Amino acid sequence: MSERLDLAGKRLVLGLSGGIACYKAAELLRLLVKAGAEVRVVMTEAARQFITPVTMQALSGQPVLSDQWDAGQPNNMAHINLTREADAVVVAPASADLIAKLAQGRADELLSLLCLARPIADCPLLLAPAMNREMWAHPATQRNLAQVRDDGAIVLGPGNGDQACGETGDGRMLEAEELFEDIVSALSPKPLAGERVLITAGPTFEAIDPVRGLTNRSSGKMGFALARAAREAGAQVTLVAGPVHLPTPRGVTRIDVQSAEQMLDAVLPLAATHGLFIATAAVADWRPAKLADHKIKKDGKKVPPGVELSENADILATVAALPRPPFCVGFAAESEQLARHAREKLVRKKLPLVVGNLGPATFGRDDNALLLVDAQGERPLPPDGGTADKLTLARQLVAEIARRRATDAA
Ligand code: CTP
């Protein structure tokens, strides 16, 4: 599978101010470069006390800048050159002192100078605060943060947990992977801004007794990728997940459930407040008619116990039949005759769009191929009819759904 380049063609300035979290900036830089970004690193004098420019130069493949008086720049204006070329300035770590300077518009060294000199409308400023919990909670820091937010900066985190000083609380810098996800998201187009999206994902587990149950091989990856893509596209996302071992995408509200009945109970009250419902979950069609209180034991007669089944409600069809339903997107996991079965679901469940895929070929895998089926016809995703990783497919599908929503609204 080809490497996905989430930041291909993007030019970033990565600024480091002083803080122990500078060590995480090296890993962040590696992720940014691996994703195709061209990164220029700027370090304050304090940052250079924590890690050396040699590391950042090696990882970015470019000399590190620190000095506003650096004669290496032909026009001697590093702060202008850097920001006119950049798609964003990311400061990680952003110290309490740097945030205070930004709040006041001070510019006495290269990093704060270039933040002030950047074209606000074209070059977003992303700050990843990193500091001791008392410094974070101090009214001066909170005042400064409110000010920089008001001035348009996007504040990423901070996280919560053990701190280098031995204390525990708010203020630690987000991990490199988390920052990376937030940066990709901040630089993504926002065709679903203002939209609320409800997604079901994963299998359901229908208990037979306290230790056994009926389930299926859905991994939840497609639904989780869609939740991430919808959030990147600006939506507020609620993800109702069956039992899966996947991390929650950044900024997504997750509700964990086990059974189809619990999934329905979680989804129904939310359906009215969400404009878009995407049902990727592989919901078990049947559940054991009764749950045994204790583990069913072998009775010595070598006769297996019969398990009587009851049919589960169809969550998607129930939502689609509401008086004012959200825009409902169904998934069809089939083993053959994909287009025919997907269309049959489109009609039976009264949906504007069904996304078909071949179940056995996709469960648990990272790449997939989709077939979009609606009243007009069919078309493949990716559009070239090949395969793509699930996040790429999720982004294409979210863009497609956003286009349809915009057409509906027009
Ligand atoms: N679905 C649902 N609730 C169910 C069953 C299915 O919400 N009880 C949703 C799935 O999330 C998916 C779509 O309906 O979006 C299609 O599910 P699928 O299991 O493929 O279809 P079924 O309607 O169960 O038909 P069949 O089992 O005959 O393929």
Side-chain angles (χ1 to χ4, degrees), residues 200-202 260 263 277-286 311-318 329-334 341 344-345 348-349 351 354-355:
T200 61
M263 192 172 270
F277 177 48
I278 310 177
T280 72
V283 183
D285 289 321
W286 300 281
E311 190 166 349
N312 278 326
D314 188 315
I315 301 169
L316 175 58
T318 307
V329 180
F331 267 67
E334 307 296 343
H341 289 309
E344 185 270 321
K345 277 167 198 170
R348 178 161 50 88
K349 302 193 190 194
L351 307 172
V354 167
V355 182

Side-chain angles (χ1 to χ4, degrees), residues 28-116:
L28 173 62
L29 174 56
R30 198 184 66 77
L31 294 174
L32 295 173
V33 170
K34 197 166 149 232
E38 195 184 304
V39 188
R40 292 306 307 265
V41 177
V42 175
M43 296 174 73
T44 64
E45 184 52 41
R48 296 164 87 108
Q49 302 297 319
F50 290 92
I51 61 169
T52 73
V54 178
T55 303
M56 301 306 271
Q57 175 165 350
L59 289 169
S60 66
Q62 303 256 27
V64 171
L65 297 163
S66 280
D67 185 1
Q68 60 178 312
W69 311 117
D70 183 353
Q73 299 278 318
N75 61 357
N76 223 315
M77 294 191 196
H79 61 297
I80 303 292
N81 305 343
L82 283 168
T83 51
R84 295 310 178 269
E85 292 164 358
D87 291 297
V89 174
V90 181
V91 183
S95 66
D97 181 53
L98 187 94
I99 294 167
K101 279 204 227 173
L102 297 181
Q104 290 183 9
R106 284 169 53 199
D108 59 354
E109 42 68 45
L110 182 57
L111 183 54
S112 51
L113 175 61
L114 74 85
C115 289
L116 190 67

Side-chain angles (χ1 to χ4, degrees), residues 15 17 89-95 98-100 102-103 111 115 118 124-130 136 144-145 147-149 152-158 173-174 179 182-183:
S17 54
V89 174
V90 181
V91 183
S95 66
L98 187 94
I99 294 167
L102 297 181
L111 183 54
C115 289
R118 79 186 207 287
L125 174 62
L126 280 59
L127 303 174
W136 172 256
N144 292 333
L145 277 160
Q147 184 63 62
V148 294
R149 277 202 182 98
I154 299 168
V155 177
L156 310 179
M173 190 167 85
L174 294 180
L179 287 174
D182 282 356
I183 292 165

